[in-house]
């Protein structure tokens, strides 16, 4: 693997207290991770996770105590007005030049319907996302924005801006969304899946206008000292994320996700999470993603054994990849 590929640590706010994540990202930097990524949730996926710190506060602290580049995925137009996301991104990019990227997605009802806004169908959410992305980009360029559409902005302007605006990535897990974000995004953020499906998502992104733009992937995995520990740890923490189709984006509460996944068996997790006690196996899977063209690979260890994961991957997986 070439040194240009960056391997990151994903900070899951749904699963851990912000103070714990702060210590973990420092540990990740110490063992050789290149970068990090943060989730941005208002609620956890299930009650077993039981956390949801404010990502933007945490990002400022994490970037101050490390030298890592970092990214975050947010959904503008619901919980956050796009002007507020633009202001937050501009502040981080001004304080930490060339170390921050922002991914924009169409959102999940779990997080976004707390304001009481109607939760629209996916096609409408994609149109709203594009509108918000255009507003955010204009604000980061220094423009004064007045816009009346799916969202409204009146004479919005950012007064503290970075010299170089942060990259705006488009988040997509389906071909249709990938093609749609290719037109406006500076790069693609997607999640690990079957290699052929990921290849289709990349092709769609490039077809929509993403040719030559960076590719970033978030990988859900679980490593432990034994196969049983790895499997049971994934099931305990991440079974709420195995629902396919539109269900993940439509359920409202952690309790809804717990109910919807109450019959999910540990073995079912293997369809959506990389589960193995074999560090060489994980290294081989990461290499496959490099071969697909991903330039940044953010590893999300879904189990609670975060310190052991960081040490094991720092000692054996990262050196093997390099």
């Amino acid at each position: 693997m070439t040194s240009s590929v960056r391997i990151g640590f994903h900070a899951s706010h749904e699963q851990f207290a912000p103070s714990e994540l702060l210590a973990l990202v420092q540990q990740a930097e110490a063992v050789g991770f290149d970068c990090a990524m943060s989730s941005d949730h208002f609620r956890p996926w299930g009650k077993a996770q039981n956390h949801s710190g404010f990502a933007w506060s945490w990002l400022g602290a994490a970037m101050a105590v490390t030298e890592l580049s970092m990214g975050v995925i947010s959904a503008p137009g619901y919980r956050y007005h796009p002007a507020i996301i633009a202001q937050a991104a501009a502040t981080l990019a001004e304080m930490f030049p060339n170390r921050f990227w922002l991914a924009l997605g169409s959102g999940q009802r779990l997080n976004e319907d707390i304001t009481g806004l109607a939760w629209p169908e996916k096609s409408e959410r994609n149109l709203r996302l594009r509108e918000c992305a255009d507003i955010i980009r204009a604000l980061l360029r220094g423009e004064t924005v007045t816009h009346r559409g799916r969202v409204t902005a009146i004479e919005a302007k950012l007064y503290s801006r970075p010299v170089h605006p942060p990259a705006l990535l488009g988040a997509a897990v389906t071909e249709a969304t990938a093609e749609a974000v290719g037109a406006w995004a500076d790069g693609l953020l997607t999640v690990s899946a079957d290699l052929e499906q990921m290849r289709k998502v990349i092709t769609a992104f490039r077809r929509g206008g993403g040719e030559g733009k960076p590719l970033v992937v978030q990988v859900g995995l679980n490593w432990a000292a034994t196969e049983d520990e790895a499997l049971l740890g994934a099931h305990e923490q991440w079974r709420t994320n195995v629902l396919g189709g539109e269900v993940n984006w439509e359920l409202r509460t952690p309790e809804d996700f717990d109910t919807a996944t109450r019959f999910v068996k540990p073995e079912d997790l293997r369809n959506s999470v990389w589960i193995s006690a074999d560090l060489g196996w994980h290294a081989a899977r990461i290499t496959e993603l490099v071969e697909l063209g991903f330039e940044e690979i953010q590893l999300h260890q879904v189990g609670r054994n975060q310190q052991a994961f960081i040490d094991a991957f720092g000692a054996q997986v990262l050196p093997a990849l390099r």
Side-chain angles (χ1 to χ4, degrees):
M1 191 177 83
T2 66
S3 59
S4 62
V5 176
R6 300 177 297 279
I7 306 297
F9 170 77
H10 177 73
S12 178
H13 285 279
E14 309 95 291
Q15 297 177 270
F16 302 97
S19 56
E20 186 174 359
L21 287 175
L22 196 61
L24 290 171
V25 77
Q26 291 173 282
Q27 181 187 352
E29 180 182 40
V31 305
F33 281 82
D34 304 303
C35 50
M37 177 184 166
S38 171
S39 61
D40 183 4
H41 269 241
F42 193 83
R43 298 179 175 119
W45 296 99
K47 290 195 292 184
Q49 296 174 349
N50 204 36
H51 280 284
S52 231
F54 186 54
W56 294 91
S57 300
W58 183 86
L59 281 162
M63 296 181 79
V65 298
T66 71
E67 295 296 324
L68 299 176
S69 62
M70 296 194 186
V72 67
I73 175 170
S74 288
Y78 307 95
R79 179 172 42 131
Y80 299 124
H81 190 281
I84 300 305
I85 288 188
Q87 184 185 30
T91 296
L92 287 176
E94 194 280 332
M95 291 192 294
F96 308 108
N98 304 313
R99 287 176 53 197
F100 177 70
W101 55 256
L102 169 63
L104 301 175
S106 58
Q108 301 139 344
R109 193 172 188 180
L110 175 71
N111 297 307
E112 306 306 334
D113 82 343
I114 58 168
T115 61
L117 289 176
W119 185 242
E121 64 182 5
K122 185 64 166 68
S123 59
E124 174 64 20
R125 299 203 307 274
N126 280 350
L127 292 171
R128 193 180 189 92
L129 172 61
R130 174 61 189 269
E131 224 173 85
C132 290
D134 289 345
I135 291 170
I136 291 168
R137 193 179 293 281
L139 288 168
L140 290 171
R141 285 196 299 260
E143 298 177 19
T144 300
V145 176
T146 293
H147 177 89
R148 294 177 177 88
R150 290 173 172 83
V151 293
T152 300
I154 306 298
E155 295 186 2
K157 182 179 179 179
L158 298 180
Y159 290 88
S160 294
R161 294 186 298 112
V163 174
H164 301 292
L168 294 184
L169 307 186
V173 296
T174 68
E175 294 168 64
T177 300
E179 185 168 358
V181 303
W184 59 262
D186 296 324
L188 172 70
L189 172 66
T190 191
V191 296
S192 54
D194 172 81
L195 287 178
E196 185 54 35
Q197 175 59 27
M198 297 181 76
R199 193 173 285 111
K200 290 178 180 178
V201 168
I202 293 169
T203 299
F205 175 69
R206 289 171 173 162
R207 184 171 61 244
E211 188 67 46
K213 296 177 181 179
L215 305 175
V216 180
V217 61
Q218 179 186 332
V219 176
L221 64 92
N222 205 45
W223 169 86
T226 70
E227 289 291 327
D228 283 347
E229 288 178 90
L231 188 59
L232 293 176
H235 183 260
E236 191 264 344
Q237 281 292 300
W238 215 244
R239 68 181 179 276
T240 46
N241 290 66
V242 302
L243 300 170
E246 289 296 303
V247 180
N248 267 354
W249 326 127
E250 297 294 340
L251 297 183
R252 292 191 62 253
T253 67
E255 292 77 14
D256 288 343
F257 276 90
D258 282 333
T259 299
T261 57
R262 66 193 183 279
F263 298 124
V264 172
K265 301 179 181 66
E267 281 293 336
D268 297 334
L269 270 291
R270 294 191 186 277
N271 295 325
S272 55
V273 179
W274 294 0
I275 298 172
S276 179
D278 183 349
L279 292 168
W281 182 88
H282 285 289
R285 297 296 303 273
I286 294 169
T287 300
E288 291 176 342
L289 298 181
V290 176
E291 292 168 352
L292 277 181
F294 288 103
E295 300 171 29
E296 185 167 311
I297 300 169
Q298 296 283 351
L299 303 181
H300 176 197
Q301 164 76 2
V302 303
R304 299 207 61 83
N305 56 333
Q306 297 287 300
Q307 292 180 332
F309 156 76
I310 291 170
D311 285 340
F313 273 61
Q316 296 188 52
V317 175
L318 299 184
L321 293 171
R322 292 165 181 152

